[in-house]
Amino acid sequence: MKLHLRRLDFTATRTIGDLSSDGRHVCWTLEDAVHDGPKIPGATAIPAGEYRVVITWSRRFKVLMPLLLAVQGFEGIRIHPGNTEIDTWGCILPGLVRLNDAVLESRSAYEHLASLIADGIVQDGVCTLTIEDQRPPTATSAAPTKEGV
C-alpha cells in the first residue's frame, strides 16, 4: 500500500496536509512546522521523503499504532489522534475536518487510517508513506520579467 501526504499549508507553528491513497483523499493532517534549519525537539515536522509504516505497540498510548521507520533525526514518529500542533510531539495527526490551525474529528480519521494501513500491510506486505512539501513559489522564484524593453 502506498500513502501520499502533500503538505499544503505552512505557518511558523504548524503544517497542514492532504493524505491520500491511490489518488483518493483519506484525511487532512496536522504536523509541527517544517523548519529548514536544525531540528527543534517537539516543534519540527519530519523531513519530506518516503517512509515505511508498520504497526507496533506504543508505550505512550498503550495500544497498537502506526509507526514511521527510519526517520532521520527523529524517533517514535507515529500517526495518532490529536487536534493542534500542541498534540503532535513531532508526529502526524489525521482529521476529517480542516481548520486554519487544527484538524477535527481526529479519532474517526485515525481509526479509518489505521485500519487502512493494517489492511494494506496484510494485502501488500508493506505500507509506505511519501511526504512531499508543496510550498507556493516565492517572489524570488517567480518567472523572469523583461526589463529595459
Side-chain angles (χ1 to χ4, degrees):
M1 157 175 261
K2 293 184 183 224
L3 298 172
H4 188 241
L5 172 54
R6 291 180 313 120
R7 292 174 172 160
L8 304 170
D9 188 1
F10 304 85
T11 72
T13 59
R14 60 96 185 120
T15 304
I16 292 183
D18 175 15
L19 194 143
S20 63
S21 173
D22 296 325
R24 287 181 290 233
H25 173 81
V26 173
C27 63
W28 297 104
T29 62
L30 181 86
E31 300 173 79
D32 285 322
V34 173
H35 293 286
D36 293 328
K39 173 187 168 191
I40 302 168
T44 303
I46 66 173
E50 183 174 286
Y51 302 98
R52 185 168 169 221
V53 182
V54 296
I55 299 199
T56 64
W57 182 257
S58 167
R59 289 179 292 171
R60 177 176 172 220
F61 291 98
K62 310 282 189 257
V63 68
L64 291 170
M65 301 185 93
L67 173 73
L68 279 66
L69 299 180
V71 181
Q72 186 175 9
F74 293 78
E75 288 185 25
I77 299 300
R78 295 207 179 261
I79 298 171
H80 65 80
N83 300 112
T84 69
E85 75 272 358
I86 294 170
D87 302 324
T88 62
W89 294 43
C91 298
I92 300 170
L93 310 179
L96 297 179
V97 177
R98 171 191 172 178
L99 299 178
N100 187 43
D101 288 322
V103 291
L104 301 179
E105 297 184 38
S106 185
R107 176 109 12 230
S108 295
Y110 168 77
E111 289 171 1
H112 174 69
L113 181 56
S115 176
L116 194 67
I117 291 168
D119 290 347
I121 291 171
V122 168
Q123 289 177 352
D124 301 337
V126 68
C127 177
T128 59
L129 172 62
T130 301
I131 300 174
E132 155 186 29
D133 293 338
Q134 293 204 332
R135 292 182 186 260
T138 61
T140 58
S141 65
T145 60
K146 293 184 179 181
E147 294 183 1
V149 178

